[in-house]
Amino acid sequence: MINPGRMILALQQNIGKAVVGKEEAIEYALIALLCKGHVLIEDVPGVGKTTLASSLARSLDCSFRRIQFTPDLMPSDVTGFTLVNFQTGEMEYKEGAVMSQIVLADEINRTSPKTQSALLEVMEEHQVTVDGVTHPLPQPFIVLATQNPGEFVGTYPLPEAQVDRFFLRISVGYPTIEQEMDVLERYSGTVVPITTIEPICSAQDVLAMQEQVTTVYCSPEVRNYVASLAAATRSDPAFSLGASTRAAIALIRGAQACAMLDDRDFVLPEDVQHMFLPVMAHRMILSPEAKMKGIPVEQFLLTILQNTSVPVKL
């Protein structure tokens, strides 16, 4: 049987060849992979969002496609289309870019809402329906989407329904001076670091680890803790939109993955706390009054975390 902790550590080290000093972001991306979730990587341009996604794809022996989202990208470019084979007279399905195990959706907020919505069924159902015919996606399947925050010209903000389908959000952030010096050293040579990354994990390994996540025990007390946290976001006046049930399920799954990586077969409240911000923050919508205060979403969520009683009996 695969040891998930060792495999994830090996993947972190492999991705670290190209992504410097972002261990937490790498860990969250791998947890999303174990939980069959999709990742929204949001940060300013040029801090390594695409490099992180590409490095993860290179570390897995899985099919990979990159979609550069632009205003003229059509839904059929994503999902595929059918056309007539003039030799046989039959309709044939031509695969779209999404028909891959790992999909990098680069700058997803730069395409039209119609094209963005083409991803909805794909992300949720892991299948594509074209002209009434359903085509299953290869497994494992994960979408890694990047977007630059704070840009409004020529962008189309993702609707709440689309954002809620992302398992978690990662902010890469600027490196420290020491980390940036390391980056400059690595990228000043003739060899580009990302080209040195070789696959160390097969698709079957990923599927096996995803199956193991579901076997991690989550006690009634921890489930009540998660439900209480979700309910608190819905009643907090700072939010005009709180956590969905899908968000609560994602929080449970993320906590199970954390426990598994710590070589435990049961979930602790600390696992829930570790996953609370990355799973919840991007789903929350601040009320107008809260926006005027200029306080980030994460600060309100931390207050909820501090004010919610932690179960002690497991």
Short mmCIF file of all heavy atoms in Angstrom, two decimals, residues 2 11 33-34 60 62 140 201-211:
data_model
loop_
_atom_site.label_atom_id
_atom_site.label_comp_id
_atom_site.label_asym_id
_atom_site.label_seq_id
_atom_site.Cartn_x
_atom_site.Cartn_y
_atom_site.Cartn_z
N ILE A 2 0.43 2.28 -0.71
CA ILE A 2 1.18 3.53 -0.79
C ILE A 2 1.15 4.25 0.55
O ILE A 2 0.13 4.30 1.22
CB ILE A 2 0.58 4.44 -1.88
CG1 ILE A 2 0.65 3.75 -3.24
CG2 ILE A 2 1.29 5.78 -1.94
CD1 ILE A 2 -0.08 4.50 -4.32
N LEU A 11 6.59 14.59 -3.63
CA LEU A 11 6.02 15.51 -4.60
C LEU A 11 6.35 16.95 -4.24
O LEU A 11 6.66 17.77 -5.12
CB LEU A 11 4.50 15.32 -4.69
CG LEU A 11 4.02 14.07 -5.42
CD1 LEU A 11 2.51 13.87 -5.20
CD2 LEU A 11 4.32 14.15 -6.91
N LEU A 33 -5.67 17.85 -4.66
CA LEU A 33 -5.55 16.71 -5.56
C LEU A 33 -6.04 15.43 -4.89
O LEU A 33 -6.79 14.64 -5.49
CB LEU A 33 -4.10 16.54 -6.02
CG LEU A 33 -3.79 15.33 -6.91
CD1 LEU A 33 -4.46 15.48 -8.26
CD2 LEU A 33 -2.27 15.17 -7.08
N LEU A 34 -5.66 15.22 -3.62
CA LEU A 34 -6.08 14.03 -2.89
C LEU A 34 -7.59 14.02 -2.66
O LEU A 34 -8.20 12.95 -2.57
CB LEU A 34 -5.36 13.96 -1.54
CG LEU A 34 -3.84 13.77 -1.56
CD1 LEU A 34 -3.32 13.69 -0.13
CD2 LEU A 34 -3.45 12.53 -2.33
N LEU A 60 3.40 14.54 -11.95
CA LEU A 60 2.46 13.42 -12.04
C LEU A 60 2.51 12.84 -13.45
O LEU A 60 2.56 13.58 -14.43
CB LEU A 60 1.04 13.89 -11.72
CG LEU A 60 0.83 14.59 -10.38
CD1 LEU A 60 -0.59 15.12 -10.28
CD2 LEU A 60 1.13 13.65 -9.23
N CYS A 62 0.54 12.03 -15.65
CA CYS A 62 -0.83 12.19 -16.12
C CYS A 62 -0.85 13.09 -17.34
O CYS A 62 0.08 13.88 -17.56
CB CYS A 62 -1.71 12.81 -15.02
SG CYS A 62 -1.85 11.84 -13.50
N PRO A 140 -7.26 10.49 -12.63
CA PRO A 140 -7.84 11.57 -11.83
C PRO A 140 -8.00 12.84 -12.66
O PRO A 140 -7.32 13.00 -13.68
CB PRO A 140 -6.83 11.77 -10.71
CG PRO A 140 -5.52 11.38 -11.33
CD PRO A 140 -5.85 10.23 -12.25
N CYS A 201 4.97 10.16 -9.68
CA CYS A 201 3.72 9.60 -9.17
C CYS A 201 2.80 9.29 -10.34
O CYS A 201 2.59 10.15 -11.20
CB CYS A 201 3.07 10.59 -8.20
SG CYS A 201 1.54 10.02 -7.43
N SER A 202 2.28 8.08 -10.40
CA SER A 202 1.42 7.68 -11.50
C SER A 202 -0.03 8.04 -11.22
O SER A 202 -0.41 8.36 -10.09
CB SER A 202 1.54 6.18 -11.76
OG SER A 202 0.95 5.46 -10.67
N ALA A 203 -0.85 7.95 -12.26
CA ALA A 203 -2.28 8.20 -12.10
C ALA A 203 -2.91 7.20 -11.14
O ALA A 203 -3.78 7.55 -10.33
CB ALA A 203 -2.98 8.15 -13.47
N GLN A 204 -2.47 5.95 -11.20
CA GLN A 204 -3.00 4.93 -10.30
C GLN A 204 -2.63 5.22 -8.86
O GLN A 204 -3.41 4.95 -7.94
CB GLN A 204 -2.48 3.55 -10.72
CG GLN A 204 -3.04 3.05 -12.04
CD GLN A 204 -4.56 3.01 -12.05
OE1 GLN A 204 -5.19 2.56 -11.08
NE2 GLN A 204 -5.17 3.47 -13.13
N ASP A 205 -1.43 5.76 -8.63
CA ASP A 205 -1.03 6.15 -7.28
C ASP A 205 -1.96 7.23 -6.73
O ASP A 205 -2.37 7.19 -5.57
CB ASP A 205 0.42 6.66 -7.27
CG ASP A 205 1.43 5.57 -7.57
OD1 ASP A 205 1.11 4.39 -7.31
OD2 ASP A 205 2.53 5.90 -8.05
N VAL A 206 -2.27 8.21 -7.57
CA VAL A 206 -3.16 9.30 -7.15
C VAL A 206 -4.55 8.76 -6.82
O VAL A 206 -5.13 9.10 -5.79
CB VAL A 206 -3.26 10.38 -8.25
CG1 VAL A 206 -4.29 11.44 -7.86
CG2 VAL A 206 -1.91 11.03 -8.49
N LEU A 207 -5.07 7.89 -7.66
CA LEU A 207 -6.39 7.31 -7.42
C LEU A 207 -6.41 6.50 -6.13
O LEU A 207 -7.39 6.53 -5.37
CB LEU A 207 -6.80 6.42 -8.59
CG LEU A 207 -7.10 7.16 -9.91
CD1 LEU A 207 -7.32 6.16 -11.04
CD2 LEU A 207 -8.31 8.07 -9.77
N ALA A 208 -5.33 5.78 -5.85
CA ALA A 208 -5.25 4.99 -4.63
C ALA A 208 -5.25 5.89 -3.39
O ALA A 208 -5.92 5.60 -2.40
CB ALA A 208 -4.00 4.11 -4.65
N MET A 209 -4.50 7.00 -3.45
CA MET A 209 -4.46 7.93 -2.32
C MET A 209 -5.80 8.63 -2.15
O MET A 209 -6.24 8.87 -1.01
CB MET A 209 -3.34 8.95 -2.52
CG MET A 209 -1.95 8.36 -2.37
SD MET A 209 -0.62 9.61 -2.32
CE MET A 209 -0.67 10.23 -4.01
N GLN A 210 -6.48 8.96 -3.25
CA GLN A 210 -7.80 9.57 -3.15
C GLN A 210 -8.79 8.63 -2.46
O GLN A 210 -9.64 9.06 -1.68
CB GLN A 210 -8.31 9.93 -4.55
CG GLN A 210 -7.59 11.10 -5.19
CD GLN A 210 -8.08 11.39 -6.60
OE1 GLN A 210 -8.70 10.54 -7.23
NE2 GLN A 210 -7.79 12.58 -7.10
N GLU A 211 -8.65 7.35 -2.73
CA GLU A 211 -9.51 6.36 -2.09
C GLU A 211 -9.21 6.25 -0.59
O GLU A 211 -10.11 6.09 0.23
CB GLU A 211 -9.33 5.00 -2.76
CG GLU A 211 -10.34 3.94 -2.34
CD GLU A 211 -11.76 4.28 -2.72
OE1 GLU A 211 -11.96 4.97 -3.75
OE2 GLU A 211 -12.69 3.86 -2.00
#
